[in-house]
Amino acid sequence: MEYLWAFLIGGAICVVGQILIDKTKMTSARILVLFVVAGVVLGGIGLYPRLVEFAGAGATVPLPGFGNLLARGVKQEIDQSGAIGILTGGLKSAAVGIMAAVSLSFLASIIFQPKAK
């Protein structure tokens, strides 16, 4: 049953993104930023962690999950280090994911020789 809920919740997030692409004049980049900010806000007020408990990877893998990860990191770092945690918390919590994205993107650029349009 966990897999079904993960699939349905993750799919619903993707459907919202597709509707925004089809029905608005927002660019893909703005929609991505909207999703991350929504994850930060929902994580900050405590709603997104409930969704993560319910849907698991269906809520943590999409972009709002990244925003929630940033908000959670900031909260934890503020509790431990004070106000400096506002600057360091998000980066500490998402460091592995950011490093993997940058490293794998660099590796892909070496292998596939991208060309500017």
Side-chain angles (χ1 to χ4, degrees):
M1 200 63 178
E2 290 178 36
Y3 294 123
L4 177 64
W5 284 117
F7 176 77
L8 291 175
I9 297 299
I13 292 170
C14 292
V15 166
V16 170
Q18 190 63 49
I19 289 171
L20 289 172
I21 289 170
D22 292 344
K23 300 294 182 185
T24 68
K25 293 185 179 189
M26 293 176 69
T27 63
S28 297
R30 288 185 180 189
I31 293 169
L32 296 175
V33 170
L34 176 71
F35 276 2
V36 172
V37 170
V40 169
V41 171
L42 292 174
I45 62 175
L47 293 178
Y48 208 82
R50 292 183 193 166
L51 184 62
V52 169
E53 285 178 25
F54 179 70
T60 58
V61 172
L63 283 170
F66 178 69
N68 177 53
L69 178 68
L70 294 174
R72 188 174 65 221
V74 168
K75 278 182 170 180
Q76 289 173 351
E77 196 66 21
I78 287 174
D79 291 341
Q80 293 175 358
S81 304
I84 194 71
I86 296 169
L87 301 173
T88 61
L91 288 176
K92 281 186 179 179
S93 68
V96 172
I98 293 169
M99 187 273 312
V102 170
S103 300
L104 293 174
S105 298
F106 178 71
L107 182 63
S109 72
I110 291 172
I111 293 171
F112 295 106
Q113 301 293 324
K115 295 174 181 66
K117 289 184 178 182

